[in-house]
């Protein structure tokens, strides 16, 4: 008899980080004998096509109830699902799913490779602590997440692991090599990837300082790849940087919507990556590029701490000179 696992996360939105999380989970679970996987997705048809698993519309209550009723294990992860900074509603959605699975359907429930927090609302903190103490297994991606849960009153055992994307081994290099060759960039030169995103009211500063970084490195013969990890927002802000450049020598904007495997392959061609996106940093590490972080969220700080790396700039005080010093150090290492 097959064991049915229902996967819950931020899937189906073409966010490369979250799609990579699903990819790594599927790769890790699909070879277990007798396992049948289903994912909650905003685009079930696309998810089934990409990953070869069943998928259910994540915002339709009756298909969700049926999927939970029929599963043997409800697995919530990875990513930063339980936080109330980027959205006030999403945390209630994920708490609600866990409550349905555990309290109403009495299913085995697992928190898998999640980054917890920030959770600022006191009511949300109580809700998270309460439901976490009902879980059968809690697995978080960093020590800061464990501390956050302990501060919420969680008494269950909490295992600390890494982000699930780190489990992707030996990423394919062929797509990345082919892509670079078509850009006209000199493959013999050092290459820096830059992954920026819009954030609150800091977009103008992000664009200005990123442009300054690019212009300085152009003069030193370093290749620059602008890497949007989420469309359309990341592409729009990256395009602003690109279009402001009077000289586009050694610079390429990746305008195509690459999937997670293609982007990971492209990252194998980088020497260093400067990223705001958490999974931009993770992709870089998995692919062998040195990570430099632009931090807008504690999850970025937690990742860099776990990696024992301290080349971090704050988005609130993003300064191209500080970034350039880190980049030069990285290229010399």
């Amino acid at each position: 008899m097959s064991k049915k696992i229902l996967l819950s996360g931020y899937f189906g939105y073409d966010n490369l980080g979250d799609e990579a999380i699903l990819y790594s989970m599927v790769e890790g679970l699909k070879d277990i004998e007798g396992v049948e996987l289903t994912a909650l997705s905003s685009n079930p048809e696309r998810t089934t096509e990409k990953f070869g698993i069943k998928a259910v519309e994540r915002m339709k209550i009756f298909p969700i109830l049926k999927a939970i009723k029929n599963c043997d294990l409800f697995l919530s992860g990875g990513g930063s699902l339980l936080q109330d900074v980027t959205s006030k509603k999403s945390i209630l959605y994920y708490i609600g799913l866990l409550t349905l699975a555990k309290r109403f359907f009495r299913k085995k429930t697992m928190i898998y490779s999640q980054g917890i927090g920030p959770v600022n609302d006191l009511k949300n903190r109580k809700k998270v602590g309460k439901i976490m103490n009902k879980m059968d297994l809690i697995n978080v991606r960093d020590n800061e997440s464990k501390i956050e849960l302990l501060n919420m009153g969680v008494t269950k055992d909490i295992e600390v692991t890494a982000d699930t994307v780190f489990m992707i081994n030996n990423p394919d290099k062929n797509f990345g090599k082919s892509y670079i060759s078509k850009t006209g960039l000199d493959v013999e030169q050092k290459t820096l990837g830059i992954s920026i995103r819009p954030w609150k009211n800091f977009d103008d500063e992000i664009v200005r300082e990123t442009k300054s970084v690019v212009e300085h490195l152009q003069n030193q013969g370093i290749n620059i790849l602008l890497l949007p990890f989420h469309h359309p927002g990341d592409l729009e802000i990256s395009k602003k940087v690109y279009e402001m450049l009077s000289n586009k020598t050694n610079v390429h904007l990746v305008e195509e919507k690459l999937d997670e495997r293609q982007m990971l392959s492209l990252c194998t061609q980088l020497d260093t990556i400067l990223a705001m996106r958490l999974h931009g940093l993770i992709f870089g590490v998995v692919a062998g590029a040195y990570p430099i972080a632009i931090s807008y969220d504690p999850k970025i700080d937690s990742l860099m701490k776990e990696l024992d790396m301290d080349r971090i700039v704050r988005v609130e005080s993003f300064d191209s000179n500080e970034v350039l010093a880190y980049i030069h150090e990285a290229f010399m290492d």
Side-chain angles (χ1 to χ4, degrees):
M1 181 181 295
S2 65
K3 293 294 183 181
K4 298 179 179 180
I5 301 177
L6 183 59
L7 307 174
S8 170
Y10 190 71
F11 307 136
Y13 290 98
D14 288 331
N15 181 304
L16 286 180
D18 292 289
E19 294 300 283
I21 287 169
L22 181 56
Y23 169 62
S24 61
M25 286 199 294
V26 171
E27 288 297 297
L29 294 169
K30 71 178 183 181
D31 292 331
I32 300 175
E33 185 176 355
V35 166
E36 181 181 310
L37 302 176
T38 302
L40 299 180
S41 170
S42 70
N43 191 338
E45 295 79 11
R46 175 66 173 148
T47 296
T48 295
E49 177 187 347
K50 282 179 67 177
F51 300 106
I53 63 174
K54 295 181 180 179
V56 171
E57 170 57 56
R58 75 191 297 274
M59 297 304 292
K60 291 186 177 179
I61 186 62
F62 291 113
I64 290 173
L65 293 174
K66 183 178 179 180
I68 296 176
K69 181 181 179 181
N70 291 336
C71 79
D72 297 294
L73 171 65
F74 183 89
L75 192 156
S76 177
S80 303
L81 306 181
L82 296 173
Q83 52 84 22
D84 58 10
V85 175
T86 59
S87 171
K88 304 299 182 184
K89 295 181 179 179
S90 66
I91 189 171
L92 301 179
Y93 169 82
Y94 294 112
I95 291 172
L97 290 178
L98 291 168
T99 301
L100 283 171
K102 191 68 207 173
R103 298 186 64 185
F104 288 88
F105 288 100
R106 308 295 181 185
K107 299 296 180 178
K108 295 289 186 181
T109 50
M110 178 179 178
I111 302 299
Y112 179 66
S113 188
Q114 283 203 37
I116 307 298
V119 182
N120 295 320
D121 186 274
L122 292 179
K123 291 181 180 179
N124 287 341
R125 293 182 68 82
K126 290 180 181 179
K127 289 175 181 177
V128 171
K130 185 176 181 180
I131 195 62
M132 287 297 103
N133 278 322
K134 302 291 184 182
M135 298 294 99
D136 295 285
L137 184 62
I138 302 174
N139 179 304
V140 295
R141 69 186 179 196
D142 53 58
N143 283 294
E144 297 300 319
S145 294
K146 179 177 180 177
I147 293 169
E148 180 75 339
L149 288 180
L150 292 174
N151 289 336
M152 293 182 196
V154 176
T155 56
K156 287 283 223 177
D157 288 340
I158 303 169
E159 297 181 358
V160 179
T161 184
D163 189 287
T164 181
V165 178
F166 281 116
M167 300 175 192
I168 299 176
N169 295 317
N170 302 315
D172 178 72
K173 297 181 180 180
N174 292 327
F175 174 84
K177 288 180 178 178
S178 175
Y179 188 99
I180 290 288
S181 68
K182 295 175 183 176
T183 64
L185 298 175
D186 185 348
V187 295
E188 300 300 321
Q189 293 180 350
K190 295 285 189 180
T191 301
L192 169 73
I194 298 179
S195 166
I196 54 175
R197 60 161 297 169
W199 184 248
K200 296 185 176 179
N201 61 340
F202 294 104
D203 288 9
D204 289 344
E205 290 85 350
I206 293 168
V207 170
R208 182 186 66 241
E209 297 304 314
T210 302
K211 172 178 174 286
S212 180
V213 169
V214 172
E215 289 177 332
H216 181 89
L217 296 175
Q218 280 179 295
N219 296 329
Q220 300 184 17
I222 293 174
N223 293 330
I224 308 292
L225 281 179
L226 297 171
L227 305 171
F229 267 69
H230 190 240
H231 287 237
D234 289 12
L235 177 59
E236 290 174 356
I237 194 168
S238 294
K239 187 177 287 187
K240 286 180 181 178
V241 173
Y242 186 74
E243 291 177 345
M244 288 175 65
L245 297 171
S246 57
N247 173 18
K248 295 178 173 55
T249 304
N250 300 335
V251 183
H252 181 79
L253 169 64
V254 179
E255 297 192 67
E256 306 94 321
K257 186 185 284 187
L258 303 183
D259 67 27
E260 61 283 350
R261 281 161 280 195
Q262 291 172 327
M263 182 63 85
L264 185 57
S265 181
L266 186 54
C267 286
T268 65
Q269 306 306 300
L270 304 177
D271 296 284
T272 302
I273 186 165
L274 171 67
M276 285 183 70
R277 288 285 182 187
L278 177 78
H279 283 96
L281 296 165
I282 293 174
F283 275 39
V285 173
V286 170
Y290 193 98
I292 300 170
I294 305 169
S295 181
Y296 70 96
D297 187 284
K299 66 185 179 183
I300 305 292
D301 303 288
S302 295
L303 172 66
M304 296 298 281
K305 184 176 180 180
E306 294 294 323
L307 294 173
D308 195 24
M309 294 179 175
D310 59 2
R311 288 170 179 156
I312 307 173
V313 296
R314 321 302 309 179
V315 69
E316 301 87 359
S317 55
F318 184 6
D319 179 82
S320 60
N321 291 321
E322 183 181 7
V323 171
L324 286 166
Y326 285 152
I327 291 172
H328 289 308
E329 289 173 5
F331 279 134
M332 288 188 292
D333 285 350

